[in-house]
Amino acid sequence: MRSPFDSNQVVWSVVSQNRSRVILAQYKLLNAVNRSYDRVYLQGLKADALYEVDGKQYSGAELMLAGFSLSDASCGQPLDQEKLSCDFDSHIWVFEEVK
């Protein structure tokens, strides 16, 4: 999805064969200060299915058309519970289809 040769981060995703689970990973190289908000557009999901990650639900269509936010504390003022962003940060999200 994003190559370290083209940007300051690596982003990849894997979708299960039955499209009920998606793993999305983001790896930052160097942290940017006051960077813009960032989204990634997932591919290969069921448009009419609901997926849950971190206690929130998204439709497959929403994740593919509107995208999923990769923004973190480097995009502005961090929230109280949000960890600070630094060089070489990584994050992995696992989206599960809601049955």
Side-chain angles (χ1 to χ4, degrees):
M1 298 179 96
R2 291 198 187 135
S3 166
F5 302 108
D6 300 327
S7 69
N8 200 32
Q9 61 180 323
V10 177
V11 179
W12 58 260
S13 68
V14 177
V15 180
S16 65
Q17 275 188 328
N18 64 1
R19 302 184 301 166
S20 65
R21 179 179 293 156
V22 180
I23 299 172
L24 174 67
Q26 174 195 32
Y27 304 93
K28 260 198 255 182
L29 302 178
L30 298 176
N31 199 31
V33 178
N34 292 329
R35 69 184 184 99
S36 61
Y37 289 95
D38 192 12
R39 294 191 156 292
V40 64
Y41 300 91
L42 299 175
Q43 300 171 3
L45 306 179
K46 298 175 191 174
D48 57 346
L50 280 179
Y51 293 89
E52 185 170 338
V53 64
D54 295 338
K56 297 179 184 174
Q57 291 186 356
Y58 304 90
S59 74
E62 177 183 6
L63 292 168
M64 292 188 291
L65 300 174
F68 180 73
S69 175
L70 296 178
S71 301
D72 59 19
S74 65
C75 295
Q77 182 68 32
L79 302 174
D80 290 337
Q81 297 132 353
E82 188 175 24
K83 74 178 187 85
L84 295 178
S85 180
C86 59
D87 293 343
F88 309 108
D89 265 353
S90 63
H91 198 104
I92 295 177
W93 296 271
V94 179
F95 296 80
E96 296 277 353
E97 183 180 1
V98 178
K99 301 289 181 179

